[in-house]
Amino acid sequence: MRRTGTRPELAVRSALHRRGLRFVVDRSPPGANRRRRVDVLLRGARIALFVDGCFWHSCPEHGVLPRANRDWWRVKLRGVVLRDRDTDAQLTAAGWLVVRAWEHEDPLDVAARVHLLDAGRRPVVRGRRAGA
Ligand SMILES: [Zn+2]
């Protein structure tokens, strides 16, 4: 279900790159469940960024319950959200800041938000901000 490199995610990655941010993609960070992969990891600032699909992750604006097999979908989609919250809890416990963006968000806005957070979370080494 976790598809890597969806179009909205690629757009966010490209916007982050243009801002000079360094990151790795589709990894499970140290300290977290190996099966929980993160879309974009900024390791220096310990930020775990997800670009969540509106359908699968039940976006409040665009999430819909398909008419056919409604009950099955209700359970299925609820399970995805519960898994997301569990992933968030695991990552937070391991010291990561979890940032979730919706695929419908402007990738430039997402990148700007992450850039600000990144700048505030870099470890300070000898009075200078360390690289990512
Ligand atoms: Zn949406």
Side-chain angles (χ1 to χ4, degrees), residues 13-96:
R13 275 155 55 176
S14 146
L16 290 171
H17 188 74
R18 279 201 299 275
R19 284 178 171 269
L21 294 167
R22 298 178 62 198
F23 53 86
V24 295
V25 301
D26 193 33
R27 300 280 178 86
S28 45
N33 185 326
R34 308 299 301 169
R35 296 182 59 205
R36 304 294 172 90
R37 303 179 78 80
V38 178
D39 295 339
V40 176
L41 272 186
L42 293 95
R43 292 188 287 201
R46 291 182 76 80
I47 292 172
L49 169 67
F50 295 88
V51 181
D52 288 340
C54 292
F55 173 73
W56 284 109
H57 299 266
S58 300
C59 164
E61 289 177 47
H62 310 107
V64 290
L65 201 54
R67 285 186 205 286
N69 305 313
R70 215 169 172 78
D71 290 339
W72 184 85
W73 278 109
R74 198 189 315 275
V75 171
K76 179 78 178 170
L77 295 177
R78 177 80 185 133
V80 172
V81 171
L82 289 174
R83 190 173 191 273
D84 286 346
R85 295 297 80 79
D86 183 59
T87 298
D88 294 352
Q90 286 186 30
L91 289 170
T92 302
W96 292 84

Side-chain angles (χ1 to χ4, degrees), residues 5-17:
T6 60
R7 201 163 54 171
E9 186 191 325
L10 291 175
V12 168
R13 275 155 55 176
S14 146
L16 290 171
H17 188 74

